Amino acid sequence: MARWSLILLLSCGAPPEELAGCRYPVAPAELIRVEPGAPCRDGARPPGQFVDAAELLGINVVHEMEVVDASGWYEVDVAGGAVADLDGDNALDLLFANAGGRLTAFTTGGRGPLRYVRREYDILDTRGLLVVDLDGDGARDVVATHSDSGVWLRGDGKGGLGSAAPLVPGLDDRLEAQVFLGACAGDLDGDGHVDVYIANHEVEPGFESERRGALPGFGPEFLVKGSCSGPSADLSDRLPKTRVEDKTFLVTLVDLDGDRDLDLYETNDQWSQKALGLDPDDDEKQGNRLFENTGAGFVDVSRVSGADVAVSAMGAAVGDYDNDGLVDLYITAMLPEANALLHNDGGLRFSDRTAALGADTLTAEHDVAWGAVFLDADADGWLDLFVAHGHNLDPVATANPDEQKSVLLLNRGGAAFEPGTAGLDGVRHARSPLVGDLDRDGFPDLVVTNAGSAPHVYLNGCDSRPWLSVRLFGGPGNTDGGGAQVVVRGGGIEQLRPILLGGDGVFGSSAPEASFGLPEGTTVVELEVRWPSGATQVFPGVPVRHLVSVKSPG
């Protein structure tokens, strides 16, 4: 194992006083550790060509949609999942929500990548999932949107999870019949702890939320403060207030303007004042919302930013598709609307490049899009786009009520997207796409959850081309370095990846790691890590085809 010289451009200073009681996670002794990736598996296709290995790997859980309670039975058209290292062995595990069954994981437990044992946990009726170290002890916990509330299960670092506890104390006494869906996390107030943000699509018709002044049928979002002992306070009253709460599917915390704090983006079902019966003369559609984090609070910049897409928005992909150093957004919808590729023009201004780059995947054969993720499938240094498709199981009037194929769009140098034929042939009611290097060969794999059936586990191809995979150790309070940005320079291009703790896809969370493909012939790269604390680390001469761990200098 070699060591590389470190250039520390900015110092983050001493850790905040309130972090003193948090246990520091197990981390490398060095600021950077470089280890070779696993060899390619026998018979692997080239990168960008996938094989569905779910059956071979024994990933046989079914996302049951029928829920039975005291009021009878109903269907929940949600299939959440997560990819993360739950058991602390540096191999990625799989976790699947289940509306009609038990929360289920497939953990590696020190057996190595792709060697899973099935585990079930004592919690029913889970929807969306977020895996995050909520109490800063180095062991990842699980946040689940669960029937009428949000809960968290403390992880023991070995794949075990404790009993479900309320994420927001007293929540069940204040709201009823909520439809919580997505969740994400990030340090919003700069105290070193991750906070959790929960999306709420609606509340029971006719119920009015006295907390936020929401009108009937709409549910407020919730923000929960993290601490060394887990969720410690309900900070929801600090969230931006609007006249009418949005029907939110997904919430994303990501630095969109490069100022090191986390901005907030919501994907929402469109609505209008007229449709709600509030104003018969106002039929203007309201859509997604973008809130700028000013350091002193949130400011609604939705309309002026151009990010206020007004469609039946569900999922979002988050990433820098054109390698210009700014994080872009891709929003899913359903016919007769179009998906939206929003290019970040800088200064929290966005322009719609969907038609110009051929990025819309909605057709008569693919009429409902759910989650979406960016990943460099073919390892050429440019982020490709995977969009999960599948008819809504409810009897709505869509053009194609059948199971649908999802779509991979290959990125052609940031100038265009083209459909790929990549072995992603599963035809299901796809919902949540999740990304992670499951076999540790350096090429990102895909997991896709499916409503009413088993998930797909698509293993990417593998060959000798260059790549780099980066994992962060952020220290107590934010052990995965959520909110940081990782930059790699090499092969004539510069690539940026935000470290997200949930907030892309739709009902789940991908591995909090950064994966980079590189142009042929690249042998070494410069690696830069921009921490949300303000610290920046630069490591020159890092060899490609390695798994890199970087520890915060604080």
Side-chain angles (χ1 to χ4, degrees):
M1 180 177 62
R3 299 176 184 234
W4 277 262
S5 59
L6 165 71
I7 303 174
L8 184 59
L9 300 183
L10 294 173
S11 173
C12 63
E17 179 116 0
E18 56 268 26
L19 294 179
C22 288
R23 290 184 294 159
Y24 198 87
V26 177
E30 310 89 343
L31 286 174
I32 181 170
R33 175 178 292 173
V34 181
E35 303 167 291
C40 293
R41 64 186 183 278
D42 292 341
R45 300 176 179 181
Q49 297 292 321
F50 292 81
V51 174
D52 188 0
E55 184 175 353
L56 177 65
L57 297 173
I59 311 301
N60 55 3
V61 65
V62 173
H63 290 277
E64 301 173 33
M65 310 312 295
E66 184 173 303
V67 178
V68 181
D69 62 14
S71 64
W73 71 271
Y74 57 96
E75 281 191 333
V76 177
D77 195 6
V78 175
V83 175
D85 180 9
L86 279 175
D87 51 25
D89 64 353
N90 295 319
L92 294 174
D93 309 302
L94 308 178
L95 190 67
F96 298 103
N98 210 327
R102 294 185 183 277
L103 178 69
T104 302
F106 293 83
T107 60
T108 55
R111 289 170 291 271
L114 302 181
R115 301 186 58 163
Y116 299 111
V117 170
R118 177 170 172 156
R119 307 179 63 152
E120 292 187 352
Y121 304 99
D122 190 21
I123 178 173
L124 301 172
D125 192 12
T126 49
R127 315 290 174 87
L129 291 180
L130 167 66
V131 178
V132 60
D133 182 6
L134 189 52
D135 54 5
D137 65 354
R140 293 183 179 89
D141 312 302
V142 174
V143 172
T145 53
H146 166 62
S147 56
D148 297 337
S149 64
V151 298
W152 77 292
L153 299 88
R154 188 190 299 269
D156 63 6
K158 300 177 182 179
L161 297 175
S163 299
L167 191 64
V168 184
L171 178 61
D172 292 336
D173 298 332
R174 290 178 291 185
L175 288 175
E176 298 177 357
Q178 304 155 87
V179 182
F180 282 159
L181 295 174
C184 66
D187 181 6
L188 281 177
D189 54 8
D191 68 351
H193 291 287
V194 293
D195 311 302
V196 178
Y197 194 100
I198 315 172
N200 198 351
H201 189 270
E202 59 192 81
V203 296
E204 184 180 50
F207 183 87
E208 184 170 354
S209 167
E210 61 183 31
R211 298 185 71 249
R212 302 279 306 286
L215 293 170
F218 288 73
E221 274 65 62
F222 286 88
L223 176 66
V224 182
K225 181 175 177 57
S227 73
C228 294
S229 58
S232 62
D234 180 359
L235 303 181
S236 305
D237 289 334
R238 301 184 185 181
L239 295 177
K241 294 177 175 60
T242 55
R243 180 186 177 197
V244 181
E245 291 289 351
D246 298 308
K247 294 195 172 189
T248 304
F249 269 92
L250 176 141
V251 285
T252 300
L253 291 170
V254 62
D255 181 5
L256 292 172
D257 52 6
D259 63 357
R260 303 289 184 104
D261 57 27
L262 298 175
D263 305 300
L264 169 63
Y265 191 70
E266 296 180 351
T267 64
N268 300 314
D269 268 347
Q270 62 177 334
W271 55 271
S272 70
Q273 301 281 347
K274 180 179 180 179
L276 295 177
L278 301 176
D279 185 343
D281 299 322
D282 188 353
D283 199 26
E284 182 180 2
K285 293 179 180 179
Q286 303 294 314
N288 295 353
R289 297 197 188 276
L290 173 60
F291 300 96
E292 179 185 3
N293 187 344
T294 66
F298 287 107
V299 175
D300 189 341
V301 295
S302 305
R303 180 164 297 185
V304 69
S305 72
D308 59 336
V309 179
V311 295
S312 302
M314 288 177 278
V318 182
D320 179 12
Y321 78 84
D322 59 349
N323 290 337
D324 67 352
L326 296 171
V327 177
D328 310 298
L329 301 168
Y330 183 84
I331 313 304
T332 63
M334 58 189 293
L335 286 182
E337 303 155 352
N339 296 338
L341 176 63
L342 300 180
H343 178 265
N344 190 337
D345 300 330
L348 287 180
R349 299 293 188 272
F350 292 81
S351 55
D352 191 331
R353 303 285 179 87
T354 316
L357 273 66
D360 187 18
T361 63
L362 292 173
T363 67
E365 292 76 29
H366 309 89
D367 66 327
V368 181
W370 290 83
V373 287
F374 285 114
L375 75 161
D376 189 357
D378 54 3
D380 65 351
W382 299 88
L383 286 174
D384 308 304
L385 180 61
F386 178 83
V387 184
H389 282 266
H391 173 69
N392 189 320
L393 294 184
D394 291 334
V396 296
T398 54
N400 178 11
D402 300 320
E403 296 178 327
Q404 302 175 12
K405 284 187 178 181
S406 297
V407 178
L408 177 68
L409 295 178
L410 297 176
N411 187 344
R412 301 310 186 194
F417 285 93
E418 298 176 357
T421 55
L424 304 169
D425 300 323
V427 181
R428 301 275 176 87
H429 297 293
R431 295 294 181 263
S432 296
L434 312 163
V435 180
D437 181 8
L438 301 180
D439 48 10
R440 292 307 196 199
D441 62 1
F443 301 97
D445 307 302
L446 265 172
V447 178
V448 183
T449 67
N450 300 298
S453 58
H456 293 296
V457 179
Y458 292 116
L459 295 182
N460 200 353
C462 176
D463 62 13
S464 61
R465 71 189 65 186
W467 54 267
L468 198 75
S469 182
V470 182
R471 174 188 176 186
L472 302 184
F473 290 85
N478 186 1
T479 57
D480 282 313
Q485 294 186 338
V486 181
V487 178
V488 164
R489 302 178 183 91
I493 58 175
E494 178 175 307
Q495 304 176 58
L496 178 145
R497 304 278 188 273
I499 300 297
L500 301 175
L501 303 177
D504 66 346
V506 64
F507 303 126
S509 58
S510 295
E513 301 175 351
S515 177
F516 299 86
L518 293 156
E520 293 280 5
T522 306
T523 57
V524 296
V525 298
E526 181 179 83
L527 170 63
E528 178 179 334
V529 181
R530 302 168 183 168
W531 298 92
S533 64
T536 298
Q537 295 165 299
V538 178
F539 304 94
V542 178
V544 301
R545 297 184 62 83
H546 281 77
L547 308 173
V548 180
S549 300
V550 179
K551 186 171 67 173
S552 167

